[in-house]
Amino acid sequence: MKMEKKLSARTNFILTVVFLIFMALLLYLADRYMDSYKLRVVRLIAIYGIMAVSLNLINGITGIFSLGHAGFILIGAYTASLLTLSPEQKAMSFIIEPIVPWLANVHTDFFTATVAGGVLAAVFAFLIGWPVLRLSGDYLAIASLGFAEVIRIIALNAIRITNGPLGLKGIPEYSNIWWCYGWLFVTVLFIASLVNSSYGRALKAIREDRIAAEAMGINVFKHQLLSFVIGAFFAGVSGSLYAHWLTTIDPRTTTLGPMLTFYVLIMIVLGGLGSISGSLIGAALFAILFEWLRDLEEPFTFFGIHVPGIKGMRILVISAIFILVMIFWQRGIMGREELTWNNIYRWLFARRKGGEKK
């Protein structure tokens, strides 16, 4: 029996450090030389990446069918935005009713506001997860979707806190390329470390067979709640970055509504449920396609035929691509595999051996 060739831990570490330096150099060049539109898309890829990896922890790795991710993103977005807006901006924005006194003069830096958004989202996840995670399957999905809609309705009606249907305008554009990719790095590092720990192995066991995991002594509810809370924290962080990327929050639109959950679901299923690498690939593809296909919603000429712009056409095209992937590539791009140095080396070694045999 032949042993599979693996890279040493030292080689893995060196390759990872070189890769991170290379990525930092690419980001520096992008920040310096890219035009503002392309740079916005590059930043959006990182924000979507955080959303996708955090939802994949809940749905793909733990096996909790949650549809409430948009609710946590919205909580993070509002919390961070209210903390970074100056008292003067709040006074000008809240024209229907004045803002509550305890929020009127609160003002913090972006990092503190982002962490606060994540923490508040995690607190809500704990409060919601405690009763909801006792359900399973479709019932859990419906309950979590209901939570996301409840958060949106509260945002629309809590006028003295959220400014109601007017939303928040003039949010500082703090989500630069370094904040976005810095938080993406923290998210991937934390969740990858969790997944590769004993807790992560327990989460995978719960995903495969909840009853068998419980029989082996794993506290299923406790592990699921932990995964739910951690996923919600990073969803709140992504909400803060998203709000400071958009520079406005409007609860009446689909930008931060329940549809956002389904966008993130497309990302993780496209990349591969249970794969962190797949989530990042799916997020990048979705962000690029979502912007590239924007022209389909404007009038254009196709082989001499004038086609009027059709609103929502890009979502239709992305949905068609998604259906095709599900038909011909059901496990997604990565399946449950990860893009590790050992897997890349194994793949290259197998290709070389195949070439030698020919």
Side-chain angles (χ1 to χ4, degrees), residues 91-273:
M92 286 189 293
S93 297
F94 284 72
I95 57 175
I96 301 175
E97 289 185 36
I99 190 170
V100 289
W102 50 272
L103 268 178
N105 296 311
V106 177
H107 182 65
T108 64
D109 59 276
F110 181 51
F111 176 76
T112 306
T114 301
V115 173
V119 169
L120 191 61
V123 169
F124 269 86
F126 181 82
L127 296 175
I128 296 298
W130 189 267
V132 166
L133 289 177
R134 300 180 191 279
L135 304 172
S136 61
D138 298 339
Y139 302 104
L140 173 57
I142 293 166
S144 58
L145 182 62
F147 158 73
E149 187 61 15
V150 165
I151 293 296
R152 191 183 71 84
I153 296 300
I154 290 173
L156 274 169
N157 291 280
I159 297 174
R160 296 198 67 190
I161 297 174
T162 64
N163 205 24
L166 294 181
L168 299 176
K169 307 291 188 292
I171 301 167
E173 196 174 353
Y174 287 140
S175 295
N176 62 30
I177 201 165
W178 302 110
W179 276 119
C180 293
Y181 281 89
W183 273 111
L184 178 63
F185 174 73
V186 170
T187 305
V188 171
L189 181 65
F190 186 92
I191 292 180
S193 300
L194 177 70
V195 169
N196 292 319
S197 68
S198 58
Y199 260 92
R201 289 189 287 275
L203 294 177
K204 290 177 183 176
I206 293 167
R207 175 189 67 193
E208 298 302 329
D209 194 322
R210 180 188 176 123
I211 296 170
E214 203 159 11
M216 292 297 291
I218 296 171
N219 188 327
V220 172
F221 175 73
K222 176 183 144 187
H223 281 78
Q224 285 186 326
L225 187 61
L226 174 74
S227 170
F228 197 62
V229 169
I230 291 172
F233 172 81
F234 286 110
V237 167
S238 70
S240 169
L241 293 167
Y242 198 35
H244 290 84
W245 178 85
L246 288 167
T247 69
T248 182
I249 298 176
D250 188 347
R252 296 169 301 175
T253 65
T254 58
T255 310
L256 279 163
M259 273 302 293
L260 183 59
T261 296
F262 296 102
Y263 292 165
V264 183
L265 267 175
I266 289 173
M267 297 174 207
I268 63 173
V269 174
L270 187 64
L273 272 173

Side-chain angles (χ1 to χ4, degrees), residues 56 60-61 204 207 268 272-276 279 335-338:
N56 206 9
I61 293 164
K204 290 177 183 176
R207 175 189 67 193
I268 63 173
L273 272 173
S275 170
I276 295 171
S279 298
R336 287 182 180 171
E337 295 295 321
E338 294 293 351

